[in-house]
Amino acid sequence: MPGMGLLTEDPVPPGFTGTRIGVCNLCEAICGIELTLEDGRVTGIRGNDADPLSRGYICPKGVSMADVYDDPDRLRRPIRRVGEGPDATWEEIGWDEALDLVADRLVAVAAEHGGPDAIGVYLGNPNAHSVGFATHGVPFVKALRTRNRFSASTVDQIPHQFVAWQMFGHQLLLPVPDIDRTSFFLVLGANPMASNGSLMTVPDFPQRVRDLKARGGRMVVLDPRRTETAKVATEHHFVRPGSDAVVLLAMLNVVLAEGLATPPAYVDGLDRVAGLVAGFTPEMAEMASGVPAETIRHLTRDFVAADGAAAYGRMGLSTQGFGSVCQWAINVLNLVTGNFDREGGVLFPEPAVDTVGRRIVGPGHHDVWRSRVRQIPEFAGELPAATMREEIETPGDGQIRAMVTIAGNPVLSTPDGVGLARAFEGLDFMVAIDIYLNETTRHADVILPPTSALERDQYDLVFHGFAVRNTARFTPAVFAKPDDARHDWEIFRDLTERVLSRAGVGLKDRLAMKARLAPSPATVVTGLLKTGGSTTMKALRKSPEGVDLGPLRPTMPERLQTGDKRIDLAPELVVADLDRVRAAFESAPVPADGELLLIGRRHKQDCNSWLHNTSRLTKGRPRHHLLMHPDDLASRGIETGAFVRVSSRVGAVEVEVTGVDDMMPGVVSLPHGYGHQVEGTRLSHASTVAGVSINDLTDPERLDVSGNAALNGVPVTVQPL
Ligand code: SF4
C-alpha cells in the first residue's frame, strides 16, 4: 500500500521511507510492482499481490527497474560527440542548445538532399511501453514527413499485423489465447516461460500453465529447441526451423479433408482454403519439418475434439521466411475448428482505451510506397528494417543522410549489424533519443536522454489490448523528475515545435500542433478513457493496483473492422505466398556442405539488447554460448567449451559452443541482443552475456512477404578454431 499517508499521485519526497506501487514496463507482461524505499532509495521490489492482471508475479527483470534508475551508465543530460572515429569523445550540453542543434541539422539535411525522405527514423521496442511515445512521439515522427520509417516491428511481429489487417480489418485486432480456460494450448515457436507472453500479455505464465495442467488440459509445444516452455509442456516435438508453415497447412489439410471444419457463419472462402491446402499433406509436412505425419494427424484431431483449444505462434514463426503464412494458418486453424472468439479458444480483449475501434491507431495499409533500392512495399507506414542500410548507403534521390533513432539498438537487433554500423558512420547527422550509450547511439552526433521509467507516469495503451484478462491501470511516477531532466514527451514536443518552425510550416499549423502537444500524457489518457466508458482516470487514481474489467468474452463479428463484418479466409496477399512455400519444401531439405540452421533464443534475465549493465541480471553461468546438438559437435570433432567459427552468407563470428540435446540435430542457437562493444560502460564487463551478436550473421536479403526479417533458419557453417 502507498506509504506514510502520501497521495499516490505525488512523487516521493527526498528521503522518503515507505512503500509505493509501480509498474514494470520492461516487457509485454506489464506486471504491477510494489517498491520499498528507505531514505529515498529503492531497497526492494516485489510483485503487487493486488494487481488484477499480474497477481503478485514478477520475473527477475522486474527487480532491475531500480537498477536502471540508479545506473551510473544511464545518461541524464544531452551529450554531443566531439571528434570522429576512435578518438571521439562526448561532452554534456544544455537542453536548449541540444534541441536547437538537432532541429537545425535535421531541417538542413532535408533541405540539402531533396526533402524529408533524407531523414530516416528507427523506433526501438521500448517505445511500445511508453505512454509518452504514444501521445507525443507519434506526432513528432509524423512531423518529420519522411517515408523512410523503420522500427523493431519488422524484426518482430509485423506478420501478425499484416494478416490481421487483411482478415479482421485492423492491424491491431489480434486474437489472444484464453489460457485461463483453454483445455488445449498449442504453442509454436514461442517461449512464454521466458517471455511471459508476447502479443499475449500473460504475466505469471508458469502458474497459469500449472493451472491448465491441473484442470486436465494439455500444452503442446513445437520448437527446434526444447525450450523452458517445452520442458513444462505435456508434449514437445522438434520442428525444423522455417518449416512450421507446412505443419500448420497440413493440420488444415487434415481438418478439411476429414470433414471436421465448424467455422462461424461470418467467414468466406472455406472451399478456397480447402483447395489451397490440398497438396500440403502430413507426409509432405513430415519430410519438410521432421514432425511425424501421424503426430500431425493426432494433434489435429485432438485439437478439434478439445473443449476449447487455442493455437498460438510467436517469434520463431514471425521471424522466418513464411511468417505471414504461419500467422494466417494459425488464425484459420482457430477459425475452422470453432475455437475463434469463444471461451477457452482465442478471444479479443476489450481495453479501456480501444485503440482499434476508436481508430486511435489506423487500420493499416500496404504498398502505398516502396523502398527506394529494393522496391519492398511499405506496410502500415513502415519499411523493413532490413532495408535501412541500403537506403543509407545507396546514392540517389531519397537517400537517407540523417537518422533519428528512438530507444533502439538496431546494430544489435536487425540483420547485418556490422554493415548497419558502418552505414551510420557515413551519415551527415544522427540523433539518438535514448538513455544509454550503446552500439547504435555511439554513432550519433547528439544523444537526448529522457527520464527513466520510475520517473514517468504510465498507462499502457498497447498491451492491455493483448492481455489475457481485461484490466486497466494508471501508475503515477514514483520519483520526481530532476530539474535538469526532460520526459520523453517533452523532448518530442520541443523538437516538433523547433522542426516545424525551421521548416517554414505556417503559423496556423504550428499553433495547432503546439495545442495538440501541450497536454501531458496523463491528461491525454484521461480524455481517452472517457471515450471508452469502462473506467475513469479518477477511478484508476483511486486504485493504483489497477481495476479488473473481467474475463475476455466473445465480441465477434461486431468488433470486426472489415467493411462487411465478415472474414475472408483466403486473403490474396498471403495465399499468393503459398507457391513460394510449396517450392521451398517440394523435396526434403538437404543441408548444403554440412550446413546447420541458426535460430535465436531469449532468456528470462534478458530484455532484448539492454539491461546487460545490470549486475543483478548478469550473474551466474555464461549464457552467450552457441548451443548445438552433441551429435553435430561430434561429427565436426568439436568439444563443448571450445571456440568455434560460425559463418553465414553475411559474416562470421567466433564464440564458445555448448553441446545440449535440447537442440534439434542440425540446428544451432545464439541468444538475441548480445555482442556488446561499448568500452567505458558496464556493458562490456559482464562475462555472462559477452559473446557475439547473432545479427552479425542474419541476412537482410531474407524477408517474409510482410517485410519482416527472416532471422530464424539462417544457413550457417560451424568450424573448430
Ligand atoms: S515479466 Fe518481468 S520484465 Fe515482464 S513486466 Fe513482469 S516483471 Fe517486468
Side-chain angles (χ1 to χ4, degrees), residues 23-33 45 47 54 57-65 129 192 194-197 202-205 473 604 606-607 611:
V23 62
C24 175
N25 67 345
L26 291 170
C27 92
E28 297 181 38
I30 59 172
C31 298
I33 58 176
I45 293 184
S54 58
Y57 176 82
I58 55 169
C59 82
K61 292 192 288 290
V63 185
S64 71
M65 292 289 288
H129 302 264
S195 69
N196 283 288
V202 55
D204 200 6
F205 183 80
R473 180 185 55 214
K604 68 178 174 210
D606 292 329
C607 191
L611 296 188

Side-chain angles (χ1 to χ4, degrees), residues 22-23 33 35 42 45 65-66 69 452-456 476-480:
V23 62
I33 58 176
L35 302 100
V42 180
I45 293 184
M65 292 289 288
Y69 175 69
S452 65
L454 292 180
E455 299 161 298
R456 300 181 200 166
V478 174
F479 293 105

Side-chain angles (χ1 to χ4, degrees), residues 18 107 122 136 218 233 293 345 369 473 475 483 498 506 635 661 702:
V107 172
Y122 178 86
H136 292 70
R218 291 165 67 186
W369 66 90
R473 180 185 55 214
T475 314
D483 288 343
R498 282 167 164 85
S635 64
D661 58 13
R702 301 178 74 247

Side-chain angles (χ1 to χ4, degrees), residues 178-506:
D178 189 17
I179 185 165
D180 293 337
R181 291 176 290 190
T182 195
S183 58
F184 191 129
F185 188 32
L186 177 63
V187 179
L188 298 101
N191 190 6
M193 282 295 285
S195 69
N196 283 288
S198 180
L199 302 184
M200 172 178 67
T201 287
V202 55
D204 200 6
F205 183 80
Q207 184 57 46
R208 292 177 200 265
V209 170
R210 284 193 288 274
D211 293 345
L212 165 70
K213 292 199 283 193
R215 62 177 183 265
R218 291 165 67 186
M219 178 170 73
V220 177
V221 173
L222 274 69
D223 202 292
R225 183 169 73 90
R226 193 174 297 113
T227 61
E228 293 76 2
T229 304
K231 284 177 183 167
V232 299
T234 38
E235 210 172 312
H236 166 245
H237 303 279
F238 284 130
V239 55
R240 193 169 288 126
S243 70
D244 316 74
V246 190
V247 175
L248 288 160
L249 293 168
M251 290 183 77
L252 289 175
N253 175 306
V254 173
V255 172
L256 295 165
E258 297 188 2
L260 303 174
T262 53
Y266 48 84
V267 303
D268 297 312
L270 186 63
D271 290 347
R272 176 127 194 257
V273 173
L276 289 166
V277 301
F280 292 97
T281 61
E283 283 69 27
M284 179 199 177
E286 175 175 342
M287 196 172 64
S289 68
V291 183
E294 264 323 295
T295 301
I296 294 172
R297 284 201 172 86
H298 88 69
L299 281 181
T300 309
R301 291 170 190 147
D302 290 356
F303 192 87
V304 171
D307 181 17
Y312 166 75
R314 197 49 197 97
M315 285 299 277
L317 266 66
S318 309
T319 58
Q320 53 145 295
F322 304 111
S324 294
V325 170
C326 285
Q327 296 307 334
W328 165 73
I330 282 178
N331 283 339
V332 176
L333 183 64
N334 286 324
L335 274 157
V336 300
T337 57
N339 286 300
F340 184 83
D341 195 41
R342 64 154 284 185
E343 286 182 16
V346 294
L347 289 156
F348 292 87
E350 298 171 276
V353 177
D354 182 6
T355 51
V356 170
R358 304 277 317 165
R359 296 288 164 114
I360 295 165
V361 176
H365 47 75
H366 181 250
D367 206 9
V368 178
W369 66 90
R370 293 187 170 203
S371 71
R372 184 178 58 102
V373 178
R374 244 192 288 173
Q375 293 295 301
I376 311 282
E378 61 77 36
F379 174 68
E382 283 191 26
L383 294 169
T387 65
M388 195 159 39
R389 176 189 176 184
E390 68 211 30
E391 294 299 329
I392 295 171
E393 290 187 330
T394 309
D397 288 349
Q399 181 186 3
I400 297 172
R401 296 308 310 145
M403 275 301 298
V404 180
T405 67
I406 307 175
N409 191 354
V411 169
L412 290 194
S413 55
T414 70
D416 189 14
V418 170
L420 185 62
R422 266 200 304 273
F424 284 157
E425 269 308 293
L427 288 164
D428 292 351
F429 181 72
M430 178 166 163
V431 56
I433 300 173
D434 206 294
I435 58 175
Y436 283 113
L437 190 57
N438 62 31
E439 293 69 26
T440 294
T441 61
R442 67 177 169 161
H443 300 286
D445 297 281
V446 178
I447 305 179
L448 305 172
T451 48
S452 65
L454 292 180
E455 299 161 298
R456 300 181 200 166
D457 300 336
Q458 175 65 356
Y459 180 90
D460 209 301
L461 283 168
V462 177
F463 298 107
H464 286 304
F466 305 138
V468 296
R469 189 172 179 90
N470 291 316
T471 62
R473 180 185 55 214
F474 176 78
T475 314
V478 174
F479 293 105
K481 182 184 72 162
D483 288 343
D484 56 351
R486 301 264 171 122
H487 292 307
D488 57 353
W489 67 272
E490 294 173 313
I491 296 172
F492 298 132
R493 177 196 63 194
D494 296 348
L495 268 182
T496 305
E497 281 177 25
R498 282 167 164 85
V499 166
L500 293 186
S501 152
R502 284 159 176 77
V505 171

Side-chain angles (χ1 to χ4, degrees), residues 533-544:
S534 55
T535 189
T536 62
M537 181 59 89
K538 196 172 163 196
L540 295 185
R541 284 191 184 275
K542 259 198 314 296
S543 303

